[in-house]
Amino acid sequence: MTIELVGFDGDDTLWHSEGYYQHAGAEFERIVGAWIDIRDAAVRTRLHAVERRNLALFGYGAKAMTLSMIEAAIELTGGAISAQDIHRIVALGKTILEHPVELLPGIRAAVETVAARHRVVLITKGDLFHQERKVEQCGLGDLFHRIEIVSEKDERSYARVLAECGVAASAFAMVGNSLRSDIEPVIGLGGWGIHMPYHVTWAHELEHGVERGHPRVITIASAGEITDAVARCG
């Protein structure tokens, strides 16, 4: 079947994102390190555990990470951390929310080329205000048939988008960096996944059930390969 609709992920597919979260995580370690021996505390592991615990309540994004950093800092220090350092953690969250939107190399040309041949949709998850700001500043919004900001990228979310677009899953290809969020739900519905790994990935997104060599998953190294990958689907 010919591909009728192509989806693009936002964070770390169209624009850089995870690096800012990684930087905030490193700064968080330095703040907490003034209160405990971080060599023995496994700070990143503890922070990730708090984030996972809070996903159902806070969702994804910078605000959720900030709240989880505050909670983890209080837990790790036994409540000893100062109000001043809590304020520093809040400031870290603000730096993520305010970071510039920088497109990945070659992505503008790739989206323009695909959009000239197919309907394209942007499907991204995270905090609504933050994602809307990124879409506005990325300069690509006018290329998309529709823009979907979802709380979770699962089969139900993708199935809803496909139904509203009137497209069968087998005629849909999704481009993204996360096997868990961008690829696994789509191939579970019978669609195609174009996996473009980013150089760093949040630990939660590393957990997936995509088998190596899946016949409907194409792995590429850069945006310049997207057009050819879409042509190979279907």
Side-chain angles (χ1 to χ4, degrees), residues 24 121 233:
V121 294
C233 298

Side-chain angles (χ1 to χ4, degrees), residues 8-225:
F8 284 87
D9 169 50
D11 292 344
D12 300 320
T13 298
L14 297 183
W15 51 72
H16 296 283
S17 177
E18 181 60 25
Y20 296 102
Y21 287 88
Q22 293 288 326
H23 175 73
E27 289 297 315
F28 171 77
E29 286 188 345
R30 280 189 274 274
I31 292 170
V32 174
W35 299 89
I36 61 173
D37 185 348
I38 61 173
R39 292 172 299 180
D40 296 331
V43 173
R44 285 292 180 96
T45 301
R46 294 282 292 277
L47 174 58
H48 179 55
V50 173
E51 288 181 304
R52 286 177 58 91
R53 190 172 72 211
N54 288 335
L55 275 176
L57 289 173
F58 299 157
Y60 299 90
K63 295 173 187 175
M65 182 183 184
T66 303
L67 289 170
S68 290
M69 285 193 294
I70 292 171
E71 183 176 344
I74 293 170
E75 290 183 2
L76 285 162
T77 65
I81 191 167
S82 67
Q84 181 179 9
D85 279 342
I86 292 293
H87 191 267
R88 290 174 64 193
I89 293 172
V90 173
L92 282 179
K94 289 182 178 180
T95 64
I96 303 174
L97 289 168
E98 296 169 349
H99 74 73
V101 178
E102 179 187 359
L103 295 179
L104 271 65
I107 198 67
R108 180 184 300 276
V111 176
E112 289 175 343
T113 301
V114 174
R117 304 174 185 178
H118 307 272
R119 281 191 293 165
V120 293
V121 294
L122 170 58
I123 307 175
T124 187
K125 72 179 179 184
D127 178 77
L128 178 62
F129 289 169
H130 195 198
Q131 291 298 319
E132 285 181 336
R133 174 181 170 274
K134 291 180 182 181
V135 171
E136 181 180 355
Q137 295 188 1
C138 76
L140 301 176
D142 291 344
L143 295 173
F144 293 101
H145 173 73
R146 64 187 290 163
I147 294 170
E148 290 283 339
I149 300 173
V150 298
S151 57
E152 184 63 89
K153 283 181 166 180
D154 52 20
E155 288 192 15
R156 181 166 60 178
S157 294
Y158 285 106
R160 176 183 58 80
V161 173
L162 292 174
E164 292 176 0
C165 290
V167 174
S170 57
F172 174 64
M174 181 68 187
V175 182
N177 69 296
S178 170
L179 287 168
R180 178 190 181 95
S181 296
D182 303 318
I183 308 301
E184 185 171 2
V186 173
I187 62 175
L189 291 171
W192 293 77
I194 299 174
H195 182 220
M196 187 173 72
Y198 192 68
H199 69 275
V200 61
T201 303
W202 183 35
H204 180 68
E205 295 295 333
L206 293 173
E207 303 168 5
H208 63 84
V210 180
E211 62 185 82
R212 184 183 297 274
H214 191 286
R216 282 184 280 108
V217 177
I218 300 171
T219 301
I220 60 177
S222 67
E225 300 177 42

